[in-house]
Amino acid sequence: MAASLLNTGGIERDSEFKLYRDGLSQGVINCQKVVESEKHKIMARMGYDSIVHTDYMDQLVQYDRFPELDCFRDLPGPSSMLHRYIVEDVLIGNSVLMRLGELLEIPTPTVKALIQIASAVNGENYFEKGIRLEDLGVTA
């Protein structure tokens, strides 16, 4: 979701936009790494390992290397700011992550900021619409 939100202009202007070809830069990857760090702290507190995806992003932006990653670079989209890369992530993944952070008293400032930005971009209140822990049967 971070990469999509940070590329709002490109996505809205270019119907041929490809996130993994057109939308990755070191700044975008840095933001995604902070999100992964917040997620990792929560997962670790719950006793789980978390998968690190940003290592692949570092390789994806090396366009002259790793030709085996061209299949990702060629994936189309997102096609709008209502694409599942944004809406599903904000309503499900990031909402749950933010609320788990609150429950476990682990700050998630970047995740919260991304939810706020997605809300502003799409004119929705994703803080209200996002999945709640109670919806999943999780109680304090």
Side-chain angles (χ1 to χ4, degrees), residues 88-103 115 125-140:
E88 284 181 15
D89 280 0
V90 73
L91 289 175
I92 301 166
N94 284 330
S95 290
V96 169
L97 191 61
M98 176 191 72
R99 290 184 169 105
L100 282 171
E102 290 169 351
L103 177 68
I115 294 170
N125 185 339
Y126 289 127
F127 290 104
E128 285 184 12
K129 289 186 169 193
I131 241 174
R132 299 181 185 285
L133 297 181
E134 300 83 37
D135 299 334
L136 302 172
V138 177
T139 57

Side-chain angles (χ1 to χ4, degrees), residues 107-121:
T108 57
T110 307
V111 168
K112 285 181 184 178
L114 291 169
I115 294 170
Q116 178 59 49
I117 292 167
S119 295
V121 166

Side-chain angles (χ1 to χ4, degrees), residues 1 18 22 36 44 46-47 49-50 52 65-66 105 130:
M1 180 175 80
K18 295 180 180 180
D22 305 321
E36 282 197 359
M46 295 186 335
D49 291 329
S50 57
V52 176
R65 297 182 64 208
F66 306 106
E105 298 181 356

